[in-house]
Amino acid sequence: MSRTEVPPGTARAVRVAAGDLVRVVDVEGGQVGDVFAFAANGTELTEHHSAAHTRAGIDRLFPAVGESFLTDLRRPILTLAEDTSPGEHDMLIPACDPARYAALGAPGHRSCAANLREALADEGLGFTGPTPQPINVFMRVPVGEDGRLNWLTANSRPGDAVTLRAEMDCVVVVSACPQDLVRISDAGHSPLAIETVHNGGTRS
């Protein structure tokens, strides 16, 4: 198993093959993570995980264990294989971005949208499209009976993890969300980790 540390407020990218397992670990607990997945098709990425297509495909706001996340071409890219957390995640809220922080009075604040592009660039990969809507692991934004969204603090515990199985060769990016102006993460900023298992063996 290989392990990639994701420092607070930053992102890291890993390349995985079909059948590999990607485990996103909340190291200290209470930390939201934005997960993005792109089909590996060269250095310019196009096809990616789509929250909207996934919701339409599974008839849920978020997949249950055993169900898949779909791409914008409606192909399975990741399957939720295991979840040791309380199981509260989000797929409605977009990645935080510079405009979000400017509106909150914090221009120049780090963001998951910028983190995504930095992490891809570190791997020599380019993505020029709009920021995909992420898989927000450990993020609690339940929908009330009146249809309003409730922004709650993550209740994941130290060591809680979500395990994803790659259904195609892909690039997975995990951002330890830097949002500390809206209390979605318990401690404001803390690290995540990406553990990758290649069919029971090790993959770098």
Side-chain angles (χ1 to χ4, degrees), residues 97-109 181:
D97 54 28
R100 169 69 161 154
Y101 289 111
L104 291 172
H109 196 288
L181 303 178

Side-chain angles (χ1 to χ4, degrees), residues 61-76:
L61 292 178
F62 198 89
V65 171
E67 294 181 333
S68 295
F69 300 90
L70 306 181
T71 71
D72 53 330
L73 298 182
R74 301 185 189 273
R75 298 198 299 159

Side-chain angles (χ1 to χ4, degrees), residues 88-111:
E88 295 186 81
H89 310 288
D90 167 76
M91 216 163 54
L92 292 175
I93 304 302
C96 58
D97 54 28
R100 169 69 161 154
Y101 289 111
L104 291 172
H109 196 288
R110 291 195 67 87
S111 71

Side-chain angles (χ1 to χ4, degrees), residues 143-164:
V143 181
E145 291 184 1
D146 60 355
R148 294 189 63 83
L149 301 179
N150 298 292
W151 295 72
L152 306 179
T153 302
N155 63 356
S156 45
R157 302 151 302 201
D160 277 350
V162 171
T163 302
L164 307 166

